[in-house]
Amino acid sequence: MATKSLQKLGSDLAQSNKQIEILSNGIFKTGELPTFKDKISETSQFPIKAKKLEILQINVGYMCNQVCDHCHVDAGPDRKEIMTRDTMRQCLEVIKNSGAHTLDLTGGAPEMNPDFRWFVEEAAKVGITDFIVRSNLTIIRANKKYYDLPEFFKKHNVHVVSSMPHWTRGKTDKQRGDGVFDKSIKALQELNAVGYGMPGSDLRLDLVYNPSGAFLPGDQVAMEKDFKKALMDDFGIEFHNLFAITNLPIARFLDYLIASENYEDYMYSLVEVYNPAAVENVMCTNTLSISWDGYLFDCDFNQMLELPVNSKSRHISEFNEELLEGRNIVISQHCYGCTAGAGSSCQGVVA
Ligand code: SF4
Ligand code: SF4
C-alpha cells in the first residue's frame, strides 16, 4: 500500500512526459497494437471533436488524506497544489456565463482546500442544475472539522459522488488503505442520516466502483445490484446509482501495472474490447477540466498528463466557449480506457 505520492518518492513516473513516453512506445511503436488514433480512424472517428460544453470539472487541488494505489492524480497528503481563491473567482465568472449545466468538483480530496466551503457557497448561488462534489468519504471522518460535511452538502443541495471500490473490508482496504472501509461505511451512514441516497430523496448519493487490479469492471447494472444488496444487508446503507469506472493507465495505476508486469496485458485487454460506439460519448466531448492553477484540459486524465486543450483559450482567465467548442480533443493510448466495453467516464458507462 502506497504511503507517499510518486512525486514525493521522486519516481520517474511522476513526470507526465515519462508516462506519455511509455504510452507512445513499446507495443504501440512496434505496431503490435494500434495507436488510439489509428483505431478510431478505422471508423472515421478521428479527430474527436468537442461538442457543446455541458460539464465543468474543476480540480481544486491534489492534496488528499488517502494515497490509493490506483490514483490517476497521484494525490496524497504530501501534494501541495491547491487552487487559490483568486482562481476560484475566475472559475465562478465562467460558471455564471457559460452554458454548462453541471459543475463537478474534484481533487485530491476537494474538501481539504481551505476555500472549499467558500467556493461551494458561492457556486451554489449560481443555480447550476447538477452540482457534484467527488468525496472520498473518509474525509468526513478524518478530522472533527469535517464532521458536519453531510449537513453542509445538504444545505447546498450538493450531489455527492463517492468512491467505494467494494462492499467488503478486505478489497476496499487493499486498494485504498487500512481502515478506509470502516470510515467509508460510517460516512455513508451519516450521509443517509441527513437524507442522502434515500429512495425518492433529491439528495443524490452515487457510488463509484473501480477495479482493484489489472482487470476491467464488470457489468454496471449487475454490480449496482450486488452493491445495493450487500450494503443494505450488512450495514443498512442506501444509495442511488453505482458508476463503474475503468482504471486508466496513468500515474499510480500505470506504476502498478509496470511494477506487477501487467502493463502490456492490460493494454491488450483494453484494445480487445474497444467499442467504437463509446467514442461518440467519451466525456471530453461535453466536459472541460480546469486544473488547480486554472489551465484548461479536455479531461482530468489529460490534466494529469499535462496535455493542454488544443485551443487558443488555454486558461480560465481567457476562457472562450466559442473557441473551445469544436476543438480537436488531444488523445493518446490512455484513451483506450474510456472506450473499453460499455465505455467509461466520471458518470460511469457511456455506450
Ligand atoms: S483515488 Fe481519490 S481518494 Fe484515493 S488518493 Fe486519489 S484522489 Fe485521494
Ligand atoms: S482520456 Fe480524456 S481525452 Fe481521452 S477519450 Fe478519455 S476523456 Fe477523452
Side-chain angles (χ1 to χ4, degrees):
M1 185 68 222
T3 53
K4 290 180 182 160
S5 67
L6 294 174
Q7 190 194 64
K8 184 76 178 173
L9 292 169
S11 161
D12 275 0
L13 276 183
Q15 308 299 323
S16 57
N17 57 359
K18 186 70 193 170
Q19 297 177 49
I20 298 276
E21 202 182 301
I22 291 167
L23 290 165
S24 307
N25 290 309
I27 42 182
F28 293 103
K29 184 88 170 176
T30 59
E32 265 181 73
L33 287 178
T35 62
F36 189 70
K37 179 183 174 189
D38 287 348
K39 196 70 186 169
I40 62 175
S41 297
E42 286 172 10
T43 41
S44 308
Q45 288 171 294
F46 177 80
I48 301 174
K49 294 264 185 195
K51 302 176 200 163
K52 192 175 159 1
L53 178 64
E54 295 183 58
I55 304 171
L56 275 172
Q57 188 173 65
I58 302 181
N59 194 316
V60 297
Y62 302 160
M63 187 180 283
C64 189
N65 58 317
Q66 293 183 189
V67 195
C68 306
D69 279 347
H70 68 284
C71 184
H72 76 269
V73 179
D74 190 26
D78 55 60
R79 296 300 299 261
K80 305 295 179 221
E81 299 90 338
I82 286 286
M83 184 176 275
T84 63
R85 202 179 271 210
D86 278 349
T87 307
M88 287 177 176
R89 280 201 184 93
Q90 291 177 319
C91 291
L92 286 167
E93 277 311 301
V94 167
I95 295 160
K96 277 182 209 158
N97 299 316
S98 85
H101 54 68
T102 297
L103 176 62
D104 187 342
L105 296 190
T106 188
E111 302 93 332
M112 291 180 84
N113 182 310
D115 288 317
F116 169 76
R117 293 191 192 221
W118 175 83
F119 191 38
V120 169
E121 280 159 5
E122 293 302 310
K125 292 179 194 162
V126 178
I128 35 189
T129 316
D130 192 9
F131 187 176
I132 298 170
V133 170
R134 294 188 183 265
S135 176
N136 67 17
L137 291 176
T138 61
I139 192 71
I140 296 174
R141 300 302 309 162
N143 184 298
K144 269 189 195 157
K145 68 181 175 184
Y146 300 121
Y147 285 2
D148 66 335
L149 277 170
E151 287 289 355
F152 177 77
F153 290 148
K154 179 179 179 174
K155 184 173 169 202
H156 299 291
N157 197 21
V158 163
H159 171 176
V160 179
V161 177
S162 297
S163 312
M164 192 72 194
H166 207 259
W167 62 81
T168 60
R169 184 174 289 102
K171 286 197 174 165
T172 299
D173 286 359
K174 183 172 175 286
Q175 182 187 104
R176 298 174 78 79
D178 287 345
V180 165
F181 181 77
D182 290 341
K183 280 190 192 148
S184 301
I185 291 296
K186 180 91 177 98
L188 285 171
Q189 287 167 335
E190 286 170 0
L191 286 162
N192 277 175
V194 299
Y196 270 100
M198 306 308 282
S201 170
D202 288 339
L203 295 169
R204 302 276 324 160
L205 174 61
D206 296 322
L207 300 187
V208 173
Y209 161 87
N210 66 292
S212 54
F215 55 93
L216 306 184
D219 175 66
Q220 181 169 280
V221 175
M223 271 196 299
E224 180 180 285
K225 227 169 141 189
D226 291 344
F227 263 78
K228 284 200 168 191
K229 182 166 175 10
L231 289 178
M232 172 49 73
D233 288 355
D234 296 346
F235 306 103
I237 288 171
E238 309 243 32
F239 66 95
H240 289 128
N241 293 111
L242 181 83
F243 304 149
I245 293 188
T246 302
N247 288 316
L248 263 68
I250 67 171
R252 286 212 287 270
F253 191 65
L254 180 59
D255 182 60
Y256 156 79
L257 289 174
I258 292 169
S260 61
E261 299 185 359
N262 275 307
Y263 169 70
E264 291 193 359
D265 285 350
Y266 190 70
M267 296 312 289
Y268 264 92
S269 59
L270 289 180
V271 175
E272 201 176 319
V273 294
Y274 166 77
N275 176 4
V279 177
E280 193 61 28
N281 295 317
V282 281
M283 64 183 171
C284 47
T285 56
N286 70 350
T287 301
L288 195 64
S289 159
I290 303 170
S291 65
W292 64 276
D293 50 356
Y295 285 92
L296 309 181
F297 298 87
D298 295 314
C299 66
D300 208 47
F301 307 112
N302 282 9
Q303 182 184 143
M304 300 315 147
L305 290 173
E306 296 181 274
L307 298 171
V309 280
N310 186 358
S311 167
K312 283 189 179 141
S313 173
R314 286 189 158 204
H315 190 268
I316 194 75
S317 58
E318 55 191 26
F319 179 86
N320 183 320
E321 198 164 348
E322 273 176 34
L323 278 181
L324 288 160
E325 190 168 328
R327 73 187 184 277
N328 292 347
I329 300 294
V330 179
I331 55 168
S332 182
Q333 282 49 264
H334 64 297
C335 298
Y336 274 118
C338 293
T339 56
S344 176
S345 75
C346 285
Q347 266 75 35
V349 301
V350 298

